Amino acid sequence: MTRDLRPHPDAQPAASAPWRPTRQRTAVLNALHGRTGFTSAQELHEALEADGVTIGLTTVYRTLHALDRSGRVDVVRDRTGERLYRHRPTDGHRHYIVCRDCGLSAAVEAEAVERWADEVAETMGFAEVEHTVELSGVCGPCRTEHRRTAAEPPPPPPPPRGDRGARRADS
């Protein structure tokens, strides 16, 4: 028998960091709900500050970490390794493919991954197994832009600035 080992979306974080819906945490959660794609803690912090919410960057990081542990967000890493967050739909975690250039993300069907993770857990005698699958590439529009810019001739070199030691012609 295979059990669903994914965290429940309404699960609470570990007892070491209980979820308390403070004003600032609620603001982070609401801001995350308002974003359409993955976002970094810094981008979320800047958006909150722009909306007049006074909040420290450390609080944003801590809140996102608590949301991750509670199963309320999906997390991917960008090409530099920075964690990016997206509100998790109520029907469970998703797997995404993310453009390394522009950050466009799209959910992908991953039932085979889920079955595989369940089978590995059962075979190895593990419970409460979590997994991360990260797919990244370059989306169609960015590929088109790469091809367009590669086909353009390089810009001409800048005009010479002159030799500092050269004598002027009018002297």
Side-chain angles (χ1 to χ4, degrees):
M1 177 177 102
T2 307
R3 295 188 339 242
D4 183 7
L5 301 176
R6 292 174 283 183
H8 189 276
D10 295 327
Q12 291 296 311
S16 63
W19 177 261
R20 293 170 311 191
T22 65
R23 177 187 60 78
Q24 291 175 318
R25 285 181 165 193
T26 301
V28 169
L29 189 56
N30 289 340
L32 200 56
H33 274 278
R35 311 282 290 192
T36 56
F38 283 93
T39 189
S40 70
Q42 284 104 353
E43 291 168 336
L44 202 55
H45 179 256
E46 289 170 10
L48 286 161
E49 291 278 319
D51 287 342
V53 177
T54 303
I55 188 169
L57 181 58
T58 301
T59 301
V60 173
Y61 273 108
R62 287 181 183 156
T63 300
L64 290 170
H65 183 69
L67 289 169
D68 180 24
R69 288 193 332 228
S70 71
R72 297 179 189 200
V73 295
D74 287 320
V75 183
V76 297
R77 292 187 187 270
D78 68 8
R79 68 172 37 177
T80 66
E82 182 177 16
R83 294 168 60 95
L84 305 176
Y85 302 86
R86 183 177 188 168
H87 181 262
R88 179 175 290 169
T90 56
D91 59 348
H93 82 277
R94 300 251 166 81
H95 297 283
Y96 297 88
I97 188 163
V98 181
C99 179
R100 288 188 298 263
D101 286 351
C102 70
L104 174 72
S105 62
V108 295
E109 176 57 43
E111 193 55 39
V113 171
E114 300 302 328
R115 282 193 308 273
W116 173 79
D118 290 345
E119 289 169 9
V120 168
E122 187 173 317
T123 300
M124 302 300 291
F126 278 69
E128 300 181 39
V129 172
E130 298 176 5
H131 64 270
T132 302
V133 176
E134 296 182 12
L135 302 170
S136 65
V138 180
C139 70
C142 287
R143 268 195 342 264
T144 301
E145 179 64 22
H146 286 281
R147 277 187 243 135
R148 185 184 65 74
T149 56
E152 293 176 355
R161 297 185 78 182
D163 244 352
R164 289 188 183 162
R167 295 184 350 161
R168 293 175 42 169
D170 58 43
S171 19

